[in-house]
């Protein structure tokens, strides 16, 4: 009898059936919820801390105040529809964090312009109503940290490699033509690399294992949508910095213009793993219009929600770094580069926990870990192997959520809001 019981348990575990014992000790079976996620879209916007967007979101770990040196001030209202491009280099972000005191954001260049403090502020619901709607209807993660305490380039590297490859800043271009941060950048373009405290300048072109390469080797479809060469947003086409993809036949077939994404989905084409980054004018990157940027995001998400793919897709909407804007939560420390301030992250799916705020500590590696586990791919580093997977934000036992089709706003009708300052 014992042998038979063990055999039943083994077979049940193999086919994914849950075993439950009743009060009399008898075994009954119930099918575990199936995992319908077949597509993951990693949608990466630019340059906002969590507090700069959702400090006032009900129930989230937000704030009504900001620490400015030795003072505590009321959190200001972000001037709308755009703000200055605050300097957010590695040095200024480390300075802003100030050993966890989170009180020196105002010292960054362009943080205070003409007496107005732009960084110790936050948007309101009326400023970003559609982002707010996604956060309210689906799952908002309020402890999602940028992996690297630096700007765009090293954090974008993490989204494809799980580490920054010891890069701690953005490339310095020797020429703004052709606006590239990668292998095809103008000769003389370099980026800072730090190993054991020793800095060196290296070309931003690397031989590295990427999630795209692993997917290719295991027969998992993937696409990377980004602004094409010649556009400013091309600097965020991160696979351009990976030599074995940039100069392979995968580049023209798998790295595609971001303006093609919505039409591809409408035509019935969506890879199992997709990265999607915008051009600069719709990126949320100051000083571009937050309204136009939000509209672009809505258009991409609407395309998925209108398609046959909605029922099997998880969209991870997040921002690459804090952009120098205030956040009150000290990031965890894990080595000299990790972690940076919180960034917003919203998990959008029929199976995202509805009206839910997830307080789990996440980073970009958490997204990679979920993708790797979901598609049975190996982990690329200790970072993604040890990260908390975003799988816990999904609930396959709930009734699938319907699409939330939103309407892009008429940005011409928006009047500038209150002046930020103190």
């Amino acid at each position: 009898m014992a042998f038979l019981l063990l055999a039943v348990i083994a077979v049940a575990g193999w086919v994914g059936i849950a075993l439950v014992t009743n009060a009399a000790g008898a075994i009954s079976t119930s099918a575990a919820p199936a995992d319908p996620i077949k597509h993951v879209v990693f949608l990466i916007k630019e340059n906002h801390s969590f507090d700069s967007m959702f400090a006032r979101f009900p129930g989230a770990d937000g704030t009504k105040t900001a620490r400015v040196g030795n003072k505590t001030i009321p959190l200001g209202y972000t001037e709308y529809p755009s703000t200055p491009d605050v300097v957010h280099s590695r040095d200024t972000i480390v300075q802003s964090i100030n050993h966890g005191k989170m009180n020196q954001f105002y010292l960054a260049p362009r943080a205070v312009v003409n007496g107005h403090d732009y960084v110790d502020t936050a948007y309101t619901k009326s400023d970003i109503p559609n982002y707010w709607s996604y956060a309210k209807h689906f799952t908002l993660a309020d402890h999602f940290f940028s992996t690297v305490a630096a700007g765009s380039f090293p954090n974008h590297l993490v989204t494809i490699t799980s580490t920054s490859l010891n890069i701690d800043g953005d490339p310095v271009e020797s020429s703004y033509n052709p606006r590239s941060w990668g292998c095809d950048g103008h000769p003389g373009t370099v980026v800072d690399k730090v190993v054991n405290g020793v800095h060196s300048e290296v070309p931003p072109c690397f031989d590295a294992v990427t999630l795209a390469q692993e997917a290719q080797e295991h027969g998992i479809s993937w696409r990377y949508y980004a602004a094409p060469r010649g556009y400013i947003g091309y600097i965020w086409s991160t696979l351009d910095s990976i030599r074995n993809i940039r100069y392979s036949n995968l580049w023209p077939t798998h790295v595609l213009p971001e303006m093609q994404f919505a039409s591809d989905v409408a035509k019935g084409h969506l890879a199992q793993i997709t990265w999607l980054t915008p051009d600069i004018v719709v990126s949320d990157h100051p000083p571009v219009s937050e309204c136009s940027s939000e509209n672009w995001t809505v258009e991409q998400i609407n395309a998925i929600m209108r398609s046959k793919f909605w029922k099997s897709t998880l969209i991870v909407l997040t921002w690459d770094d804090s952009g120098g804007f205030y956040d009150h939560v000290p990031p965890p420390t894990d080595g000299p580069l990790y972690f940076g301030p919180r960034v917003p992250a919203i998990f959008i799916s029929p199976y995202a926990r509805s009206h839910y705020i997830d307080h789990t500590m996440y980073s970009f590696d958490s997204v990679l870990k979920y993708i790797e586990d979901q598609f049975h791919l190996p982990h690329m580093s200790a970072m993604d192997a040890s990260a908390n997977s975003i799988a816990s934000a999904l609930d396959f036992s709930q009734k699938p959520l319907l699409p939330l089709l939103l309407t892009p706003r008429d940005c011409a009708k928006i009047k500038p809001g209150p002046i930020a300052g103190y």
Side-chain angles (χ1 to χ4, degrees):
M1 183 66 180
F3 175 79
L4 178 60
L5 176 61
L6 290 173
V8 170
I9 292 173
V11 173
W14 179 63
V15 298
I17 297 175
L19 297 178
V20 181
T21 57
N22 60 23
I27 294 178
S28 62
T29 62
S30 61
D35 184 342
I37 299 300
K38 309 300 179 188
H39 309 273
V40 180
V41 178
F42 201 173
L43 202 169
I44 307 166
K45 303 300 294 288
E46 292 294 315
N47 290 38
H48 283 286
S49 69
F50 182 88
D51 278 342
S52 75
M53 299 191 77
F54 293 115
R56 297 180 169 93
F57 194 89
D61 187 357
T63 183
K64 296 180 180 179
T65 62
R67 292 188 286 275
V68 179
N70 294 324
K71 297 186 298 181
T72 298
I73 65 169
L75 189 69
Y77 291 89
T78 303
E79 184 171 339
Y80 201 75
S82 64
T83 63
D85 181 13
V86 179
V87 174
H88 49 284
S89 64
R90 162 76 178 164
D91 288 344
T92 58
I93 290 179
V94 170
Q95 172 184 259
S96 298
I97 294 171
N98 192 22
H99 307 286
K101 295 179 182 178
M102 312 303 283
N103 65 346
Q104 294 189 158
F105 291 84
Y106 74 103
L107 294 178
R110 296 195 293 271
V112 179
V113 180
N114 295 327
H116 296 301
D117 178 357
Y118 286 91
V119 296
D120 295 302
T121 66
Y123 287 121
T124 65
K125 177 182 178 180
S126 61
D127 294 325
I128 50 172
N130 287 332
Y131 285 145
W132 204 279
S133 292
Y134 290 136
K136 181 179 179 181
H137 191 77
F138 298 102
T139 298
L140 174 65
D142 67 355
H143 281 77
F144 192 112
F145 293 86
S146 52
T147 300
V148 186
S152 290
F153 188 65
N155 279 298
H156 275 272
L157 283 174
V158 172
T159 68
I160 60 171
T161 67
S162 88
T163 79
S164 71
L165 305 177
N166 294 311
I167 301 303
D168 67 348
D170 294 340
V172 177
E173 300 170 279
S174 62
S175 170
Y176 285 101
N177 188 13
R179 295 171 173 168
S180 169
W181 278 358
C183 294
D184 58 8
H186 195 276
T189 299
V190 294
V191 67
D192 189 67
K193 181 176 182 177
V194 55
V195 179
N196 296 326
V198 178
H199 293 259
S200 60
E201 293 186 343
V202 299
C205 186
F206 310 100
D207 292 307
V209 176
T210 65
L211 183 59
Q213 177 187 349
E214 291 192 339
Q216 186 71 22
E217 292 173 352
H218 288 77
I220 303 299
S221 62
W222 65 274
R223 297 289 185 274
Y224 196 111
Y225 290 87
R229 184 179 171 88
Y231 289 72
I232 296 178
Y234 184 58
I235 59 178
W236 303 313
S237 187
T238 315
L239 288 174
D240 177 37
S241 61
I242 305 300
R243 184 181 288 106
N244 54 322
I245 289 181
R246 180 62 184 90
Y247 298 120
S248 76
N249 58 9
L250 294 174
W251 180 260
T253 57
H254 288 68
V255 182
L256 305 172
E258 54 87 7
M259 54 283 291
Q260 185 178 317
F261 174 77
S263 61
D264 279 355
V265 172
K267 294 174 183 176
H269 304 297
L270 182 63
Q272 291 165 280
I273 305 170
T274 299
W275 291 264
L276 176 57
T277 65
D279 191 20
I280 182 70
V281 294
V282 288
S283 67
D284 293 302
H285 192 302
V288 304
S289 166
E290 189 69 20
C291 176
S292 299
S293 299
E294 184 189 61
N295 282 353
W296 177 89
T297 306
V298 168
E299 290 164 359
Q300 312 314 305
I301 295 175
N302 278 352
I304 298 170
M305 290 183 169
R306 289 192 177 105
S307 75
K308 65 181 181 181
F309 301 112
W310 168 245
K311 62 184 179 182
S312 59
T313 296
L314 167 62
I315 303 167
V316 179
L317 170 60
T318 189
W319 282 252
D320 70 337
D321 65 67
S322 64
F325 291 96
Y326 181 76
D327 196 80
H328 78 284
V329 176
T333 301
D334 186 6
L337 296 180
Y338 310 123
F339 289 85
R342 293 185 305 169
V343 292
I346 307 171
F347 307 136
I348 302 171
S349 171
Y351 302 97
R353 298 178 187 272
S354 184
H355 305 283
Y356 183 70
I357 298 175
D358 191 341
H359 303 302
T360 307
M361 187 272 178
Y362 295 126
S363 68
F364 300 129
D365 284 288
S366 299
V367 184
L368 299 186
K369 182 170 186 176
Y370 172 78
I371 294 173
E372 290 162 341
D373 292 347
Q374 189 70 5
F375 297 109
H376 309 292
L377 300 173
H379 299 306
M380 291 175 284
S381 76
M383 292 292 292
D384 53 340
S386 61
N388 294 321
S389 170
I390 63 173
S392 60
L394 303 176
D395 182 0
F396 299 119
S397 66
Q398 73 182 20
K399 182 180 179 180
L401 302 178
L402 296 175
L404 181 68
L405 294 170
L406 300 178
T407 302
R409 293 180 290 155
D410 184 350
C411 299
K413 294 182 178 180
I414 297 176
K415 296 180 181 180
I419 296 295
Y422 63 94

